[in-house]
Structures are given as structure tokens and as C-alpha cells.
Amino acid sequence: MRTIGYVGLDDFAKKKGHRYMCVIADHYTRRPIAVFDSRYGHEITDWLKAHPEIKTVTRDGSQAYGSIISEASGQIVQVSDRFHLMQALKKNVVEPIKTMLGQKKEQRQYPYPSEDEAYRYEDAEGKSRHHLALHRTRKDWFKEAAENT
């Protein structure tokens, strides 16, 4: 069986919720190259050691898979698969931004003013920022920019 240097490693369920297995697939053709009865085990490490041509493995965030691949060869580059990469991006970037912008109802770690509170804030002359923003003209913007240069 011929393999190329780029493969994907992932779990799959033979019977949902009961029996999980591991598959190694060719990154380009997406066809299975090897199937293992266990998700974590020495047989995966042994298989990777027997195929030194493998340079990159795409995998999920499992620490077990990370250590299996590292044990097989320190030269194999490990890359997060697209699904898990996008989930991590959503969890660590998109969700906090949504929370920060008030688009989610969950409790924020530190208080943000509500939209009403922000508009009630007044400057030194007693005019609200909302009022200033509504009545400021383009001419004022250019005049201010010219004075500051």
C-alpha cells in the first residue's frame, strides 16, 4: 500500500456511542489507508514508525493523538484539522467578541455599559456623546483634523 507524506488521523464510530475506532486517510484522495480497532494504542504508533515517508499528520485536538504521533517520530508535523480549528476559532475569538458586543445574554467577566448608559455619558459641557455625534458636521471633522496636524 503506497502512502504519501500527508495523512489525516481521526476517530470514527463503528456503532455510535459504543465502539470507536481510528482511521488514517490519505490527505489528498481522502481514502482510508489504515483502520485500527482502537482509538489509542501502540498499533497506531507502530504503523506510523513503519511509514517514515509521512511528513505531516492532520488531527483533532486530542492530546493522546499528539503523543502517539510524537512518539512515532519527532519529525512529523502535526496540524489541526479544519473542523477543530474552526471550532477553536469560534470558541476563542468569535464568542468573546459577540459577548463583548452584547450580542449574547451570558454574564460578562467584567461590566460593559449598556447602550443607554453609554449614550447618557456627558462631556464637560453637559452634552451627551449621542447628542454630539448626531449634530457634528463633516466641516467640524475636517477643521479638527487640520488643527491637530
Side-chain angles (χ1 to χ4, degrees), residues 35 112 125:
V35 177
Y112 288 93
E125 298 172 6

Side-chain angles (χ1 to χ4, degrees), residues 3 9 15-18 35 42 52 63 66 71 84-85 92 95 101 110 117 127:
T3 61
L9 177 85
K15 184 176 180 187
K16 287 275 186 210
H18 295 281
V35 177
H42 64 84
Q63 290 181 358
E71 186 181 327
H84 291 92
L85 182 65
N92 297 313
E95 295 300 324
L101 295 175
Y110 42 90
E117 290 171 324
K127 294 181 179 176

Side-chain angles (χ1 to χ4, degrees), residues 3-4 14 22 40 49 58 88 92 95 111 121 126 130 132 142 145:
T3 61
I4 336 181
K14 188 168 185 179
C22 175
Y40 313 109
K49 284 179 181 177
T58 303
N92 297 313
E95 295 300 324
Y121 176 77
H130 183 250
L132 291 172
F142 286 115

Side-chain angles (χ1 to χ4, degrees), residues 6 24-25 28 55 69 74 81 90 93 98 104 128 131 146:
Y6 305 96
I24 296 179
Y28 295 107
K55 297 187 181 5
I69 296 165
D81 65 20
K90 181 180 177 194
V93 177
K98 280 183 171 181
K104 292 185 72 175
S128 72
H131 175 80

Side-chain angles (χ1 to χ4, degrees), residues 22-34:
C22 175
V23 63
I24 296 179
D26 184 302
H27 187 74
Y28 295 107
T29 65
R30 299 181 183 185
R31 293 182 184 264
I33 298 171

